[in-house]
């Protein structure tokens, strides 16, 4: 791996919380063109993931990522983190996320498999982790 290996905090901050960066630029910084992701058993390709992030940007006002555990070993990345968000409607939601990922030679994510658990929020927020 290169010294420029990405991590979940930097990627999510660019994708979700830094509105000075457009979604396509943020995606290209942290993910390969052939990127795919499985969230709670459902696979998304590059286009579906970008659609998901675009949707979230329309729902989330602000947030932060709290990493509890993180491991990088060669081209493998794993972490356990909590995403805390305040939605545009004022509601607050928190998800714990378990991530296992494959990194490309340039340090960007090639594939992520994740499982999410909602820690707080309303019933309507349960699918936020994969909503489009």
């Amino acid at each position: 791996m290169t010294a420029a290996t990405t991590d979940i905090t930097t990627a999510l901050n660019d994708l979700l919380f830094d509105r000075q960066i457009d979604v396509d630029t943020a995606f290209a910084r942290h993910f390969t063109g052939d990127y795919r992701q499985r969230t709670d058993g459902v696979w998304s390709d590059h286009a579906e993931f970008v659609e998901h992030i675009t949707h979230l940007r329309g729902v989330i006002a602000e947030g932060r990522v709290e990493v509890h555990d993180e491991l990088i070993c060669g081209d493998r990345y794993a972490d356990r983190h909590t995403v805390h968000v305040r939605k545009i409607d004022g509601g607050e939601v928190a998800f714990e996320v378990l991530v296992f990922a494959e990194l490309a030679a340039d340090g960007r994510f090639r594939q992520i498999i994740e499982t999410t658990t909602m820690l707080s929020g309303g019933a309507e927020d349960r699918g936020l982790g994969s909503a489009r």
Side-chain angles (χ1 to χ4, degrees):
M1 277 312 98
T2 68
T5 297
T6 195
D7 60 72
I8 207 70
T9 301
T10 307
L12 289 177
N13 282 335
D14 284 356
L15 285 168
L16 296 175
F17 308 130
D18 186 347
R19 302 305 167 90
Q20 301 300 312
I21 305 170
D22 66 77
V23 174
D24 291 329
T25 300
F27 179 89
R29 282 184 186 174
H30 302 286
F31 303 89
T32 61
D34 62 346
Y35 177 75
R36 48 186 250 144
Q37 177 171 316
R38 188 179 80 194
T39 302
D40 299 328
V42 179
W43 283 102
S44 300
D45 63 16
H46 171 167
E48 292 164 329
F49 180 73
V50 168
E51 182 181 1
H52 167 63
I53 295 302
T54 302
H55 170 77
L56 290 179
R57 280 190 173 202
V59 174
I60 295 172
E62 62 184 2
R64 67 183 172 84
V65 178
E66 177 184 6
V67 174
H68 309 289
D69 301 293
E70 183 175 50
L71 175 67
I72 301 171
C73 184
D75 68 348
R76 300 299 174 189
Y77 176 96
D79 90 359
R80 180 176 65 91
H81 65 274
T82 302
V83 179
H84 303 269
V85 299
R86 187 177 55 78
K87 299 185 312 179
I88 292 170
D89 69 9
E92 295 190 6
V93 183
F95 279 92
E96 180 183 61
V97 184
L98 305 177
V99 171
F100 288 92
E102 177 186 345
L103 298 165
D106 65 3
R108 295 181 298 159
F109 290 116
R110 172 173 282 133
Q111 176 175 282
I112 288 180
I113 296 173
E114 67 180 21
T115 301
T116 64
T117 302
M118 191 170 81
L119 303 175
S120 64
E124 71 279 4
D125 300 317
R126 289 211 181 278
L128 202 59
S130 58
R132 287 187 222 142

